[in-house]
Amino acid sequence: MARRVGFLSDCVEALGLVGVEIHYGRAPDDVPKCQVVVARAVKALPALSAMALAGPNRGAELLALKGASVGREVAELSSKGGFQVEVLDLTDPAGGSATVARVRRSG
């Protein structure tokens, strides 16, 4: 996990982003108030969304790296209501790809 945090810190510096803080923690015990939560999706999307977007982060956005189960998990989360979900299929110039679920609480 330290490599990922280091990578994100390097990106913030290289892009000259201001007001960005990278925090490493484990939900639900160590999630600071923030605007965006980035998570590798070790839990199903409904559980991950509920943890990451709870309490002080109800207005935040979750970006979760997902795999083949994303369709089923999005359907399950959508059926529960209370969340808006967008699935992004991303590629980089080197040909790598990733599926990211972008989740926000609705209302």
Side-chain angles (χ1 to χ4, degrees):
M1 189 58 70
R3 271 192 356 241
R4 291 183 186 102
V5 171
F7 170 77
L8 290 174
S9 296
D10 290 347
C11 289
V12 168
E13 183 178 331
L15 295 171
L17 301 177
V18 178
V20 175
E21 179 182 327
I22 306 298
H23 176 82
Y24 166 75
R26 296 192 181 273
D29 302 324
D30 192 23
V31 179
K33 182 169 175 44
C34 58
Q35 293 176 326
V36 178
V37 177
V38 178
R40 71 183 170 137
V42 295
K43 288 193 170 282
L45 202 50
L48 183 61
S49 298
M51 283 191 308
L53 302 177
N57 292 331
R58 290 188 69 77
E61 183 173 289
L62 168 65
L63 300 175
L65 295 168
K66 294 302 298 177
S69 63
V70 69
R72 179 183 48 78
E73 293 179 26
V74 166
E76 182 181 344
L77 183 60
S78 296
S79 73
K80 293 182 179 208
F83 294 94
Q84 297 173 334
V85 186
E86 178 183 7
V87 177
L88 307 168
D89 291 313
L90 307 174
T91 56
D92 65 34
S97 64
T99 300
V100 175
R102 181 179 182 188
V103 182
R104 290 176 290 235
R105 284 196 179 268
S106 50

